[in-house]
Amino acid sequence: MAPFDDLAQELTPEQRRVVSFAREGGASLLVRGLPGTGKTTALVRRLAAMVSEGRRPYEILVLVPQRAPGDRFERALSVLQAPTRGGAEIVTFYSLSRRGVALFWPLVAAQAGFAHPEREPVFLTLETAQYYMWRIVEPLIREQGYFNDLAIPRGRLLSQLIDNLNKSALVGFDHTDIYARLRGAWVGAQDRLHRFWQAQDCATRFRAFCLEHNLLDFSLTTEVYCRYLLANLVYRRYVQARYRHLIVDNLEENVPVAQDFIAWMLTWCQSAVLALDERGGHRIFLGADAEGALEVGQRCQETLSLSRLLKPTEHLLAFVDAVNANIGARAAPAAPQGEAHRATVVSGGGETRYWISMLRWVAEQVAALVAQGTAPGEIALIAPYVSDVMRFAVEEELARYDIPVHLLRPATPLRDDPIVRGLLILLCLAHPHWALEFGGEPYALSEEDVALALKVALAGLDPLRARYLALEAWRGEGLLPLADSAPARLWERVGFQVREPYETLRSWLETYRQGPPEPLDILLSRLFGDLLSRPGFGFYQQPEAARAYGRLVESTRKFREAVMSDGEDPTRVAREYVQLVLRGVASAEYLLDWPRPPRPDAVILGPAYAYITRDMRSEYQFWLDLGSDGWLNRPNQPLTHPYVLSRRWPIGRPWRDVEEEEARRETLARVLTGLAARCNRGLYLAFSELGLDGAEQRGRLQMAIVTVLARIKRYA
Amino acid sequence: MALIEAGHLFSQHSLNTYLRCKRRFWLKYIAQQPWPMPEQENLSEYQAHLARGRTFHQWVARALLGVDADLLGQAAAACGDEALLAWWLAFGRFDLSIVPEGLREVELPLIVPLGEYRLYARYDLVAFSPSGEAVIVDWKTLERLPSWRVMRERVQTRVYLYVLASAGHIVTGGAPLDPSRLEMIYWFAPFEEMFRIPYSRREFQAHRQALLRLVEEIAASPPEAFVPTENPRECAFCNYRSLCGRQEAPRDPSLNWLDEEIDFALDLDEAIEMTY
């Protein structure tokens, strides 16, 4: 169901009850149901009704677990016939926290232990948090051998160290308890325990550094808000005067401290309606607490279960119930009234030996559905992970049928964008003294690097010609003047139209090098304005390419504002920024990057997790790579643990293989149920004997599906 | 599909931009096109001014929300920014008794329907008296002091007063506000100057029609109608000037986009968190 239809849809009696549920007197209602039973539609209609009645919109707080689903509420408000059409607070708990801390900073800064409470706080992005964490960790690795027995990329090391702090804040335990919690659950070799102690030490040092320099990462913002601001009478009065009505969607995807906040609001707000997805809690890696959600929900005065599902969905859920039972998941059937043998399930297994043949089969089936009248946007291809190889292969196969692909993906590292990489190389060319280091080794720019920079900066260069030019222009120390000295054939091969822009660029960089270094965002903006947006250069009349440029400028500006506020050496900051990004640290998410709604003419391709947490829904789903263990295994995280660092796991209780096994099964069962509940018509199952790497695929999910399909066939 | 869909959110910034340059409106508010060209030669100074404006608004909001004055004073004294401190001290001399003492709302967002579209206003401070008076106060950190007449004709003035007259009763929970009892105050921190702009029923009706005509004109325009301004002096401080081929536009310091950028940044902070 398209979100825009929320206001047009005819409501069931249960949904109407949600809409008309009391507005005053401290009334509270918990609405439960599987995905697709109409809970969000009912909440959207309730919000619309309250605004239409003339209630003050800004007194209505709508809490969503992440930004994307909030769009559905906003869209409904935008077309409402009412005295006002918005102004309701549709926010995540983090955005509420951050705004609160920023606005009421003087009330809590000293109490929270900041060394300079009289100064404004600096909120860190993911990039800047990783930067500061790296500054703390790097000397410990170099001088004290921290994590020397761990072979994981730096980005993942840093993200796990930061994740531990985030978990402590979101769950609500002290950050100094990280070690005790991880150690208490560990049942492996004792010589690994030092890793946890080192992770604790890094977290403690990082927190102390933040307090000393007024820096607030995600964890500290959340902690300051929950521990200090929510305890402050001035702020409590402000919140109580501001918000009178509460609407919460996907309560089960919220984190424990957000659920505490909701529980507090239930004690005084005029009305509250909380919606909870049965079998949800997919964001456990981000701290979601489905059990806690149920506890909070039970504080509501009334409970209402929504159960209406489309018949085909019900049968698909019954099919998934059978698969889950075969895997050994303990959850009760999600759709006891469904019939697995009546589910529309098309299997592509058995005949397909190679991975690429599997994708060909998928493309054929998709093309057939489209030919029969299904809009491509109603078809979703879902895999445990979507690698670049898979994306490319799917795009290629579907291109044969002229069907485009819309990729669901989380934030990608800035360096994955070739335009950004080319611009970073230009920055290196502007600062030859930087002496970059990767992994402790000096890094010298290669001809390929310089070719990429030239291709990005100069108009009309393809990779081959950029390479020719780089071969002549680059001798290891800045770009060479080529106007007069270049071999005669160079410009014939590269193109004479490139000669002047090249010389202008070289001369511009040379002039820049003679003067004092500028902050990177300012340098990049100037370079864009002076040269690169002008005729002959790479961004002249290139709005799409300029989006990547703008993203880099914004990233460098935010980095400078966060880092330079503490009187850092600007040269060091600039150099370290470039190293950080080239190493692949993820960029902060920017407004303009936020995924746009999928196009109706494009098939959706994405990881199961992204599909579910964005609450998408399709007529047909294709589950890819079912033989892959990726469906069952969670990412290797040697320094953190989503289950142990939760409110559900007591300190000291060991996390053994049996718990791990059970968690895997239950998580997979939850994912499969979450997917099936979001499928309106039919399910296509795609697997191959050999995986992408050529290894035989014998994943447990594939085995379970084959068994269930055989049973259904016998039954039929 | 319509270029500008029903329900589109217009603001004083976007309307003002449209009136000054249709192309800039298109690029900034519809295409959301980044074009990272420096707005001014001294970009550091420009950014510092934007940041100073945002901080000042934040401090004032804190003061009006009841944060302890001593704590705020300590922060101001430690900020190390003379201009910001001067603005803050000036705010301390602002006579708050000129606004009603009844209901006072700080950083209040209001959105009202306008035809098939929506109109958004975010008030620094709006104060209501029990007897039906309402006063909007807007803190300004402009580098130049405009004339009273310019401020009265400003899109912001029309939008803010119109939105409050249309939806103020939602805030007060009482009867619809009488436009003739509304007033808008601009207070300029760098100059400690105040402009008071009254409102009337006649203006309310006229503004409603003019604003509706304007948004309908914008929404009905084909893409080719969003052309660059005919006044190239507007382009000198516009970051899109190279996209429009107007790099060499003559400079007129009175025609910068600074005020819009400060307010836009404040709005954007909110937009990121989807508050409206």
Side-chain angles (χ1 to χ4, degrees):
Chain A
M1 164 105 21
F4 323 106
D5 294 339
D6 281 325
L7 291 182
Q9 194 185 354
E10 193 175 329
L11 299 181
T12 64
E14 289 79 17
Q15 286 176 313
R16 281 201 291 273
R17 200 178 142 208
V18 175
V19 175
S20 61
F21 186 71
R23 275 59 160 145
E24 300 296 336
S28 55
L29 173 69
L30 174 68
V31 187
R32 302 178 61 161
L34 285 168
T37 50
K39 298 182 300 302
T40 304
T41 298
L43 294 188
V44 169
R45 292 285 280 271
R46 177 176 173 83
L47 173 65
M50 291 172 79
V51 172
S52 297
E53 289 159 12
R55 280 168 208 285
R56 300 172 195 176
Y58 56 90
E59 291 185 347
I60 306 169
L61 178 64
V62 181
L63 268 181
V64 289
Q66 55 185 8
R67 286 187 293 179
D71 192 42
R72 201 159 151 187
F73 290 88
E74 163 58 21
R75 280 180 181 275
L77 289 178
S78 73
V79 292
L80 207 59
Q81 285 308 317
T84 67
R85 280 189 184 176
E89 298 263 26
I90 304 166
V91 292
T92 63
F93 183 69
Y94 175 68
S95 61
L96 190 71
S97 308
R98 183 182 157 154
R99 202 176 329 144
V101 172
L103 195 53
F104 291 92
W105 169 251
L107 291 182
V108 290
Q111 195 187 2
F114 288 91
H116 304 286
E118 74 287 357
R119 291 190 205 158
E120 288 298 308
V122 175
F123 291 94
L124 300 182
T125 61
L126 184 57
E127 282 164 353
T128 45
Q130 292 209 4
Y131 167 76
Y132 280 118
M133 182 61 93
W134 179 244
R135 280 182 50 172
I136 283 159
V137 173
E138 195 268 340
L140 296 171
I141 291 176
R142 189 163 28 83
E143 293 161 17
Q144 298 185 42
Y146 274 35
F147 310 118
N148 60 5
D149 57 345
L150 265 183
I152 56 172
R154 279 175 194 172
R156 285 188 51 212
L157 170 72
L158 297 178
S159 68
Q160 287 179 56
L161 296 174
I162 289 171
D163 196 45
N164 283 338
L165 281 161
N166 292 345
K167 290 283 190 326
S168 75
L170 296 173
V171 172
F173 64 84
D174 197 278
H175 75 279
T176 55
D177 284 346
I178 293 168
Y179 173 64
R181 285 172 180 264
L182 292 173
R183 183 194 60 187
W186 179 249
V187 292
Q190 292 299 296
D191 63 354
R192 298 282 178 87
L193 285 175
H194 69 278
R195 287 179 184 171
F196 297 144
W197 186 89
Q198 289 166 352
Q200 173 69 73
D201 189 38
C202 292
T204 309
R205 288 171 188 251
F206 179 80
R207 176 57 59 85
F209 186 88
C210 287
L211 289 171
E212 177 63 33
H213 296 86
N214 275 30
L215 304 174
L216 285 104
D217 66 327
F218 181 94
S219 70
L220 193 49
T221 304
T222 307
E223 189 171 309
V224 168
Y225 183 73
C226 296
R227 192 176 288 185
Y228 302 104
L229 198 53
L230 280 175
N232 185 285
L233 276 180
V234 172
Y235 184 71
R236 286 170 84 92
R237 276 201 294 268
Y238 166 78
V239 172
Q240 288 176 308
R242 177 81 192 257
Y243 305 117
R244 293 163 52 85
H245 307 283
L246 176 65
I247 291 175
V248 181
D249 200 8
N250 293 110
L251 180 62
E252 78 292 342
E253 303 298 342
N254 255 310
V255 297
V257 291
Q259 291 165 358
D260 294 344
F261 175 81
I262 292 163
W264 173 59
M265 275 196 76
L266 284 177
T267 63
W268 54 263
C269 69
Q270 286 299 311
S271 78
V273 176
L274 320 179
L276 184 147
D277 259 4
E278 309 275 9
R279 312 299 172 89
H282 298 282
R283 288 159 43 94
I284 191 165
F285 293 95
L286 299 173
D289 184 356
E291 283 181 60
L294 206 51
E295 288 168 13
V296 173
Q298 282 163 352
R299 298 183 189 206
C300 289
Q301 295 159 345
E302 295 181 45
T303 299
L304 180 65
S305 288
L306 301 191
S307 57
R308 189 194 66 168
L309 283 168
L310 297 170
K311 267 294 161 201
T313 306
E314 223 165 56
H315 298 323
L316 286 173
L317 279 166
F319 170 75
V320 162
D321 283 340
V323 173
N324 288 342
N326 191 280
I327 290 167
R330 291 184 312 171
Q337 61 280 52
E339 295 170 275
H341 66 279
R342 298 183 68 183
T344 306
V345 177
V346 181
S347 168
E351 306 99 42
T352 315
R353 179 162 175 76
Y354 297 106
W355 186 81
I356 192 67
S357 321
M358 172 189 73
L359 294 187
R360 285 205 182 112
W361 176 80
V362 168
E364 284 166 14
Q365 303 303 311
V366 168
L369 287 172
V370 172
Q372 289 159 21
T374 303
E378 289 294 346
I379 301 169
L381 313 185
I382 295 160
Y385 304 106
V386 178
S387 63
D388 285 343
V389 175
M390 175 179 275
R391 184 188 70 171
F392 181 74
V394 167
E395 285 173 347
E396 285 278 294
E397 293 301 328
L398 284 174
R400 294 175 202 272
Y401 304 97
D402 287 332
I403 300 174
V405 173
H406 174 90
L407 183 68
L408 298 180
R409 62 190 310 173
T412 48
L414 273 173
R415 74 152 179 198
D416 282 4
D417 188 325
I419 292 175
V420 169
R421 263 201 329 277
L423 292 170
L424 292 173
I425 302 300
L426 274 181
L427 291 177
C428 294
L429 291 171
H431 303 91
H433 57 283
W434 267 355
L436 297 184
E437 285 182 6
F438 287 174
E441 299 293 320
Y443 181 80
L445 295 184
S446 65
E447 282 153 8
E448 285 85 356
D449 290 332
V450 176
L452 177 63
L454 292 172
K455 179 179 171 302
V456 167
L458 304 174
L461 273 185
D462 58 30
L464 197 60
R465 287 190 288 173
R467 186 73 199 275
Y468 282 138
L469 183 55
L471 280 170
E472 293 300 327
W474 177 246
R475 295 282 185 274
E477 288 181 11
L479 296 177
L480 296 172
L482 295 175
D484 305 318
S485 60
R489 291 197 58 207
L490 173 69
W491 298 115
E492 281 175 26
R493 298 173 86 173
V494 172
F496 285 97
Q497 78 282 4
V498 177
R499 182 158 66 175
E500 192 182 327
Y502 169 80
E503 278 305 322
T504 310
L505 173 68
R506 189 199 63 75
S507 156
W508 194 95
L509 292 172
E510 182 66 37
T511 307
Y512 169 76
R513 281 201 297 267
Q514 310 302 322
E518 288 179 330
L520 295 186
D521 56 318
I522 291 176
L523 168 61
L524 282 167
S525 286
R526 241 175 21 84
L527 179 61
F528 186 85
D530 287 358
L531 293 187
L532 301 189
S533 64
R534 300 198 174 215
F537 293 91
F539 295 85
Y540 176 64
Q541 297 297 327
Q542 297 292 328
E544 275 312 307
R547 289 189 186 276
Y549 204 121
R551 193 175 164 211
L552 180 64
V553 171
E554 189 182 347
S555 167
T556 51
R557 183 180 56 76
K558 283 183 174 172
F559 191 84
R560 175 170 62 87
E561 285 173 356
V563 175
M564 288 307 295
S565 59
D566 201 38
E568 290 279 352
D569 170 16
T571 304
R572 172 184 164 165
V573 167
R575 172 179 168 271
E576 290 190 345
Y577 173 85
V578 171
Q579 285 193 159
L580 193 74
V581 176
L582 284 176
R583 265 194 228 121
V585 171
S587 66
E589 286 179 354
Y590 297 108
L591 187 62
L592 294 176
D593 285 344
W594 190 246
R596 295 176 178 188
R599 298 154 46 190
D601 67 335
V603 166
I604 292 158
L605 170 66
Y609 176 80
Y611 183 84
I612 290 173
T613 55
R614 289 179 202 185
D615 202 16
M616 304 193 80
R617 170 165 285 275
S618 310
E619 293 291 295
Y620 295 97
Q621 290 178 0
F622 286 71
W623 295 358
L624 311 183
D625 259 351
L626 285 168
S628 160
D629 282 332
W631 283 95
L632 199 64
N633 294 342
R634 64 185 175 92
N636 176 32
Q637 293 184 302
L639 297 176
T640 186
H641 201 296
Y643 297 95
V644 168
L645 298 182
S646 78
R647 207 173 263 190
R648 305 288 131 205
W649 203 255
I651 295 183
R653 182 170 164 194
W655 179 266
R656 300 161 302 175
D657 286 349
V658 63
E659 280 87 15
E660 179 68 28
E661 178 59 23
E662 187 184 338
R664 284 181 188 176
R665 283 197 305 259
E666 298 306 324
T667 303
L668 177 58
R670 204 162 35 222
V671 167
L672 298 182
T673 304
L675 289 174
R678 290 172 170 83
C679 186
N680 291 346
R681 287 200 185 184
L683 181 59
Y684 286 72
L685 305 171
F687 34 84
S688 54
E689 288 176 35
L690 305 179
L692 175 61
D693 57 1
E696 199 160 352
Q697 300 260 67
R698 287 189 174 277
R700 215 171 334 155
L701 175 58
Q702 178 176 338
M703 297 302 162
I705 286 176
V706 168
T707 306
V708 171
L709 286 173
R711 199 187 306 153
I712 288 173
K713 202 172 171 184
R714 278 202 302 276
Y715 182 90
Chain B
M1 194 170 76
L3 288 171
I4 294 175
E5 293 180 31
H8 180 84
L9 192 69
F10 289 95
S11 66
Q12 58 111 347
H13 312 301
S14 66
L15 293 177
N16 183 49
T17 299
Y18 177 81
L19 292 172
R20 287 175 68 178
C21 177
K22 293 173 181 169
R23 179 80 176 143
R24 182 175 164 89
F25 167 84
W26 172 262
L27 291 167
K28 183 166 182 170
Y29 293 99
I30 306 301
Q32 297 185 3
Q33 175 65 55
W35 198 254
M37 189 161 181
E39 290 84 351
Q40 301 204 343
E41 269 176 21
N42 193 333
L43 191 53
S44 298
E45 222 171 77
Y46 180 79
Q47 289 179 350
H49 192 84
L50 288 177
R52 191 178 293 132
R54 284 195 292 267
T55 305
F56 176 70
H57 276 80
Q58 180 121 306
W59 286 2
V60 171
R62 285 175 186 165
L64 296 171
L65 286 168
V67 175
D68 188 288
D70 287 343
L71 289 172
L72 295 176
Q74 287 165 22
C79 75
D81 181 331
E82 281 181 23
L84 182 58
L85 180 60
W87 295 354
W88 175 249
L89 294 174
F91 170 72
R93 293 186 288 272
F94 178 79
D95 181 9
L96 266 173
S97 70
I98 63 170
V99 300
E101 286 184 5
L103 177 64
R104 286 181 178 176
E105 294 283 353
V106 178
E107 298 288 324
L108 176 76
L110 277 181
I111 301 172
V112 296
L114 188 61
E116 292 182 13
Y117 310 97
R118 298 183 295 161
L119 189 57
Y120 166 75
R122 186 176 188 84
Y123 301 95
D124 290 343
L125 170 65
V126 57
F128 304 85
S129 76
S131 59
E133 290 173 308
V135 176
I136 300 163
V137 185
D138 197 72
W139 319 109
K140 288 284 175 214
T141 54
L142 295 175
E143 289 175 310
R144 289 160 187 267
L145 184 64
S147 69
W148 180 88
R149 183 179 297 275
V150 164
M151 295 311 287
R152 192 191 63 174
E153 298 304 319
R154 198 179 155 90
V155 178
Q156 181 183 8
T157 310
R158 283 179 269 165
V159 168
Y160 274 38
L161 285 163
Y162 170 75
V163 170
L164 188 64
S166 303
H169 62 288
I170 298 291
V171 183
T172 61
L177 298 178
D178 178 352
S180 65
R181 306 196 68 192
L182 267 53
E183 182 186 30
M184 180 149 184
I185 294 177
Y186 286 106
W187 183 77
F188 297 85
F191 311 97
E192 289 195 57
E193 278 281 350
M194 178 166 49
F195 294 159
R196 302 181 76 145
I197 299 170
Y199 204 41
S200 68
R201 290 176 202 168
R202 188 187 53 76
E203 283 171 305
F204 174 65
Q205 291 300 334
H207 288 167
R208 198 182 76 79
Q209 285 173 14
L211 289 166
L212 185 59
R213 260 200 315 272
L214 183 59
V215 299
E216 286 178 343
E217 173 195 310
I218 295 171
S221 297
E224 58 272 19
F226 293 92
V227 294
T229 173
E230 288 175 6
N231 177 7
R233 291 188 313 155
E234 292 276 18
C235 305
F237 299 106
C238 173
N239 61 302
Y240 294 114
R241 60 191 180 276
S242 65
L243 190 58
C244 301
R246 298 268 180 97
Q247 290 98 323
E248 315 308 333
R251 290 179 175 271
D252 179 348
S254 68
L255 288 178
N256 68 43
W257 298 83
L258 194 58
D259 186 35
E260 179 195 303
E261 293 295 341
I262 290 174
D263 287 344
F264 179 73
L266 288 168
D267 280 354
L268 195 64
D269 283 345
E270 298 302 327
I272 286 169
E273 308 301 351
M274 303 179 308
T275 54
Y276 47 79

